[in-house]
Structures are given as structure tokens and as C-alpha cells.
Amino acid sequence: MIAAIIAALAGWDRGGRVGAMAFRGCALSRAVAGAFVYDISFSITDQLKFTPT
């Protein structure tokens, strides 16, 4: 499942409007009652700027 998530998101872009997402890393965060939680990190080269109104 983790490989499928990475494959689906790595290289994804919004039709040239922003940079492509790049995979940065994955780590097991914790395991609780048989459930595993992974941190999967991606980055994008563009910046989102917010101007308060």
C-alpha cells in the first residue's frame, strides 16, 4: 500500500501550474493495537503565499 501511495503521488503535478511532487522519505511512526502509522513525506518546489484580508 505504501508503494502504491508513493507511485501515485511522486511526479504528480497540476497540469504544469505547479511543480511536480517529489518523494522525500517514509518511516514507521507508531504501531497501536495492530494498526501501523507511517509518515510519508513529499515536497513541491513552488511556494504557497497567503495574504490576509
Side-chain angles (χ1 to χ4, degrees):
M1 182 183 299
I2 294 168
I5 292 169
I6 293 167
L9 292 176
W12 177 82
D13 68 13
R14 297 186 53 176
R17 291 182 290 175
V18 296
M21 292 183 72
F23 174 68
R24 293 293 172 216
C26 176
L28 177 62
S29 177
R30 60 186 174 275
V32 178
F36 296 92
V37 179
Y38 284 87
D39 291 325
I40 304 173
S41 300
F42 293 86
S43 66
I44 193 163
T45 56
D46 290 350
Q47 296 179 358
L48 175 63
K49 295 184 179 183
F50 175 75
T51 305
T53 56

Coordinates of all heavy atoms in Angstrom, one line a residue:
M1 N 0.8 -1.2 0.0 CA 0.0 0.0 0.0 C 0.9 1.3 0.0 O 0.6 2.2 -0.7 CB -0.9 0.0 1.2 CG -1.8 1.2 1.2 SD -2.9 1.4 2.6 CE -3.9 0.0 2.5
I2 N 1.9 1.2 0.8 CA 2.8 2.4 0.8 C 3.5 2.7 -0.5 O 3.5 3.8 -1.0 CB 3.9 2.2 1.9 CG1 3.3 2.2 3.3 CG2 5.0 3.3 1.8 CD1 4.2 1.7 4.4
A3 N 3.9 1.6 -1.2 CA 4.5 1.8 -2.6 C 3.5 2.3 -3.5 O 3.8 3.2 -4.4 CB 5.0 0.4 -3.0
A4 N 2.2 1.9 -3.4 CA 1.1 2.5 -4.3 C 0.9 3.9 -4.0 O 0.7 4.7 -5.0 CB -0.1 1.7 -4.1
I5 N 0.9 4.4 -2.8 CA 0.8 5.8 -2.5 C 1.9 6.6 -3.0 O 1.7 7.6 -3.7 CB 0.7 6.0 -0.9 CG1 -0.6 5.4 -0.4 CG2 0.7 7.5 -0.6 CD1 -0.7 5.3 1.1
I6 N 3.1 6.1 -2.8 CA 4.3 6.8 -3.4 C 4.2 6.9 -4.9 O 4.5 8.0 -5.5 CB 5.6 6.2 -2.9 CG1 5.7 6.3 -1.4 CG2 6.8 6.7 -3.6 CD1 6.8 5.5 -0.7
A7 N 3.9 5.8 -5.5 CA 3.9 5.8 -7.0 C 2.8 6.7 -7.5 O 3.0 7.3 -8.6 CB 3.6 4.4 -7.5
A8 N 1.7 6.8 -6.8 CA 0.6 7.7 -7.3 C 0.9 9.2 -7.1 O 0.5 10.0 -8.0 CB -0.7 7.3 -6.5
L9 N 1.6 9.5 -6.1 CA 1.9 10.9 -5.8 C 3.2 11.5 -6.4 O 3.3 12.6 -6.8 CB 1.8 11.2 -4.3 CG 0.4 11.1 -3.7 CD1 0.5 11.3 -2.2 CD2 -0.5 12.0 -4.4
A10 N 4.3 10.7 -6.4 CA 5.6 11.1 -6.8 C 5.5 11.4 -8.3 O 5.0 10.6 -9.1 CB 6.6 10.1 -6.6
G11 N 5.9 12.6 -8.7 CA 5.8 13.1 -10.1 C 4.5 13.7 -10.5 O 4.4 14.2 -11.6
W12 N 3.5 13.7 -9.6 CA 2.2 14.3 -9.9 C 2.3 15.8 -10.0 O 3.0 16.4 -9.2 CB 1.2 13.9 -8.8 CG -0.1 14.5 -9.0 CD1 -1.1 14.0 -9.8 CD2 -0.6 15.7 -8.3 NE1 -2.2 14.8 -9.7 CE2 -2.0 15.9 -8.8 CE3 -0.1 16.6 -7.4 CZ2 -2.7 16.9 -8.4 CZ3 -0.9 17.7 -7.0 CH2 -2.2 17.8 -7.5
D13 N 1.6 16.4 -10.9 CA 1.6 17.8 -11.0 C 0.2 18.3 -11.4 O -0.6 17.4 -11.8 CB 2.6 18.4 -11.9 CG 2.5 18.1 -13.4 OD1 1.4 17.6 -13.8 OD2 3.4 18.3 -14.1
R14 N -0.1 19.5 -11.3 CA -1.4 20.0 -11.7 C -1.4 20.6 -13.1 O -1.7 21.8 -13.2 CB -1.9 21.0 -10.6 CG -2.0 20.4 -9.3 CD -2.6 21.4 -8.3 NE -3.8 22.0 -8.9 CZ -4.6 22.8 -8.2 NH1 -4.3 23.2 -7.0 NH2 -5.7 23.2 -8.8
G15 N -1.1 19.9 -14.1 CA -1.1 20.4 -15.4 C -0.2 21.5 -15.7 O -0.5 22.4 -16.5
G16 N 1.0 21.5 -15.1 CA 2.0 22.5 -15.3 C 1.8 23.8 -14.5 O 2.6 24.7 -14.7
R17 N 0.8 23.8 -13.7 CA 0.6 25.1 -12.9 C 1.5 25.1 -11.7 O 1.7 26.2 -11.2 CB -0.9 25.1 -12.5 CG -1.8 25.4 -13.7 CD -3.2 25.5 -13.2 NE -3.7 24.2 -12.8 CZ -4.9 24.0 -12.2 NH1 -5.7 25.0 -12.0 NH2 -5.2 22.8 -11.9
V18 N 1.9 24.0 -11.2 CA 2.8 24.0 -10.1 C 3.9 22.9 -10.4 O 3.7 22.1 -11.3 CB 2.1 23.7 -8.7 CG1 1.1 24.8 -8.4 CG2 1.4 22.3 -8.8
G19 N 4.9 22.9 -9.6 CA 6.0 21.9 -9.7 C 5.5 20.5 -9.4 O 4.5 20.4 -8.7
A20 N 6.2 19.5 -9.8 CA 5.8 18.1 -9.5 C 6.2 17.8 -8.1 O 7.2 18.3 -7.5 CB 6.6 17.2 -10.5
M21 N 5.4 16.9 -7.5 CA 5.7 16.4 -6.1 C 6.8 15.5 -6.2 O 6.9 14.6 -7.1 CB 4.4 15.8 -5.5 CG 3.3 16.7 -5.3 SD 1.9 16.0 -4.5 CE 2.5 15.7 -2.8
A22 N 7.7 15.5 -5.2 CA 8.9 14.6 -5.1 C 8.8 13.9 -3.8 O 8.6 14.5 -2.7 CB 10.2 15.4 -5.2
F23 N 9.1 12.6 -3.8 CA 9.1 11.7 -2.6 C 10.3 12.1 -1.8 O 11.4 12.2 -2.4 CB 9.1 10.3 -3.1 CG 9.3 9.3 -1.9 CD1 8.3 9.2 -0.9 CD2 10.4 8.6 -1.8 CE1 8.5 8.3 0.1 CE2 10.6 7.7 -0.8 CZ 9.6 7.6 0.2
R24 N 10.2 12.3 -0.5 CA 11.3 12.6 0.3 C 11.7 11.5 1.3 O 12.8 11.3 1.7 CB 11.1 13.9 1.1 CG 11.0 15.1 0.3 CD 12.3 15.4 -0.3 NE 12.2 16.5 -1.3 CZ 12.9 16.5 -2.4 NH1 13.8 15.6 -2.7 NH2 12.7 17.5 -3.2
G25 N 10.7 10.7 1.7 CA 11.0 9.6 2.7 C 9.8 9.0 3.3 O 8.7 9.6 3.2
C26 N 10.0 7.9 4.0 CA 8.9 7.2 4.6 C 9.5 6.5 5.9 O 10.6 6.0 5.9 CB 8.4 6.1 3.7 SG 7.1 5.1 4.4
A27 N 8.7 6.6 7.0 CA 9.2 6.0 8.2 C 8.0 5.5 9.0 O 6.9 6.1 9.0 CB 10.0 7.0 9.1
L28 N 8.1 4.4 9.7 CA 7.1 3.9 10.6 C 7.0 4.8 11.8 O 8.0 5.0 12.5 CB 7.4 2.5 11.0 CG 6.5 1.8 12.0 CD1 5.1 1.7 11.4 CD2 7.0 0.5 12.5
S29 N 5.9 5.4 12.0 CA 5.7 6.4 13.1 C 5.4 5.7 14.4 O 6.0 6.0 15.4 CB 4.6 7.4 12.7 OG 4.4 8.3 13.7
R30 N 4.4 4.8 14.3 CA 4.0 4.1 15.5 C 3.1 2.9 15.2 O 2.6 2.9 14.1 CB 3.3 5.0 16.5 CG 2.0 5.7 16.0 CD 1.4 6.7 17.0 NE 0.3 7.4 16.4 CZ 0.4 8.4 15.7 NH1 1.5 9.0 15.4 NH2 -0.7 9.0 15.2
A31 N 3.0 2.0 16.1 CA 2.1 0.9 16.0 C 1.2 0.8 17.2 O 1.8 0.8 18.3 CB 2.9 -0.4 15.8
V32 N -0.1 0.8 17.0 CA -1.0 0.8 18.2 C -2.1 -0.3 17.9 O -2.8 -0.2 16.9 CB -1.7 2.2 18.4 CG1 -2.6 2.1 19.5 CG2 -0.6 3.2 18.6
A33 N -2.2 -1.2 18.8 CA -3.3 -2.2 18.7 C -3.4 -2.9 17.3 O -4.4 -3.0 16.7 CB -4.6 -1.6 19.1
G34 N -2.2 -3.2 16.7 CA -2.2 -3.8 15.4 C -2.3 -2.9 14.2 O -2.3 -3.4 13.1
A35 N -2.5 -1.6 14.4 CA -2.5 -0.6 13.3 C -1.1 0.0 13.2 O -0.6 0.4 14.2 CB -3.6 0.4 13.6
F36 N -0.6 0.2 12.0 CA 0.6 0.8 11.8 C 0.4 2.2 11.2 O -0.3 2.3 10.2 CB 1.5 -0.1 10.9 CG 1.9 -1.4 11.5 CD1 1.1 -2.5 11.3 CD2 3.0 -1.5 12.3 CE1 1.4 -3.7 11.9 CE2 3.3 -2.7 12.9 CZ 2.5 -3.8 12.7
V37 N 1.2 3.2 11.7 CA 1.1 4.5 11.1 C 2.4 4.9 10.5 O 3.4 4.8 11.2 CB 0.7 5.5 12.3 CG1 0.6 6.9 11.7 CG2 -0.6 5.1 12.9
Y38 N 2.4 5.3 9.3 CA 3.6 5.7 8.5 C 3.5 7.2 8.2 O 2.5 7.7 7.9 CB 3.7 4.9 7.2 CG 4.2 3.5 7.4 CD1 3.2 2.5 7.6 CD2 5.5 3.2 7.3 CE1 3.6 1.2 7.8 CE2 5.9 1.8 7.5 CZ 5.0 0.8 7.7 OH 5.4 -0.4 7.9
D39 N 4.7 7.8 8.3 CA 4.8 9.2 7.9 C 5.5 9.1 6.5 O 6.6 8.6 6.3 CB 5.8 10.0 8.8 CG 5.1 10.3 10.2 OD1 3.9 10.5 10.2 OD2 5.9 10.3 11.2
I40 N 4.8 9.6 5.5 CA 5.3 9.6 4.1 C 5.4 11.1 3.7 O 4.4 11.8 3.7 CB 4.3 8.9 3.2 CG1 4.1 7.4 3.7 CG2 4.9 8.9 1.7 CD1 3.0 6.7 2.9
S41 N 6.6 11.5 3.4 CA 6.9 12.9 3.1 C 7.1 13.1 1.6 O 7.9 12.4 1.0 CB 8.2 13.3 3.9 OG 8.0 13.2 5.2
F42 N 6.5 14.2 1.1 CA 6.7 14.7 -0.2 C 7.0 16.2 -0.2 O 6.7 16.8 0.8 CB 5.4 14.5 -1.0 CG 5.0 13.1 -1.3 CD1 4.3 12.4 -0.4 CD2 5.4 12.4 -2.4 CE1 4.0 11.0 -0.6 CE2 5.1 11.1 -2.7 CZ 4.4 10.4 -1.7
S43 N 7.6 16.7 -1.2 CA 7.8 18.1 -1.3 C 7.4 18.6 -2.7 O 7.3 17.8 -3.6 CB 9.3 18.5 -1.0 OG 10.1 17.9 -2.0
I44 N 7.3 19.9 -2.8 CA 7.0 20.6 -4.0 C 7.8 21.8 -4.1 O 8.0 22.5 -3.1 CB 5.5 20.8 -4.2 CG1 5.1 21.2 -5.6 CG2 5.0 21.8 -3.2 CD1 3.6 21.1 -5.9
T45 N 8.3 22.2 -5.3 CA 9.3 23.3 -5.3 C 8.6 24.7 -5.3 O 9.2 25.7 -5.0 CB 10.1 23.2 -6.6 OG1 9.2 23.2 -7.8 CG2 10.9 22.0 -6.6
D46 N 7.3 24.8 -5.6 CA 6.6 26.0 -5.6 C 6.2 26.5 -4.2 O 6.2 25.6 -3.3 CB 5.4 26.0 -6.4 CG 5.7 25.9 -7.9 OD1 6.8 26.1 -8.3 OD2 4.8 25.7 -8.7
Q47 N 6.0 27.7 -4.0 CA 5.6 28.3 -2.7 C 4.1 28.7 -2.7 O 3.7 29.2 -3.7 CB 6.4 29.5 -2.3 CG 7.9 29.2 -2.1 CD 8.7 30.5 -1.8 OE1 8.1 31.6 -1.7 NE2 9.9 30.3 -1.6
L48 N 3.4 28.5 -1.6 CA 2.1 29.0 -1.5 C 2.1 30.2 -0.6 O 2.6 30.2 0.5 CB 1.2 27.9 -0.8 CG -0.2 28.3 -0.5 CD1 -1.0 28.7 -1.8 CD2 -0.9 27.3 0.3
K49 N 1.7 31.3 -1.2 CA 1.7 32.6 -0.4 C 0.3 33.0 0.0 O -0.6 32.9 -0.9 CB 2.4 33.7 -1.3 CG 3.8 33.4 -1.5 CD 4.5 34.5 -2.3 CE 6.0 34.2 -2.5 NZ 6.7 35.3 -3.2
F50 N 0.1 33.4 1.2 CA -1.2 33.8 1.7 C -1.1 35.2 2.2 O -0.2 35.6 2.9 CB -1.5 32.9 2.9 CG -2.8 33.2 3.6 CD1 -4.0 33.0 3.0 CD2 -2.7 33.9 4.8 CE1 -5.2 33.3 3.6 CE2 -3.9 34.3 5.4 CZ -5.1 34.0 4.9
T51 N -2.0 36.0 1.7 CA -2.1 37.4 2.1 C -3.4 37.6 2.8 O -4.5 37.5 2.3 CB -2.1 38.3 0.8 OG1 -0.9 38.1 0.1 CG2 -2.1 39.8 1.3
P52 N -3.3 37.8 4.2 CA -4.6 38.0 4.9 C -5.4 39.2 4.4 O -4.8 40.2 4.0 CB -4.0 38.3 6.3 CG -2.6 37.9 6.3 CD -2.1 38.0 4.9
T53 N -6.7 39.1 4.5 CA -7.5 40.2 4.1 C -8.1 41.0 5.3 O -8.1 40.6 6.3 CB -8.7 39.7 3.2 OG1 -9.4 38.8 4.0 CG2 -8.2 39.2 1.9

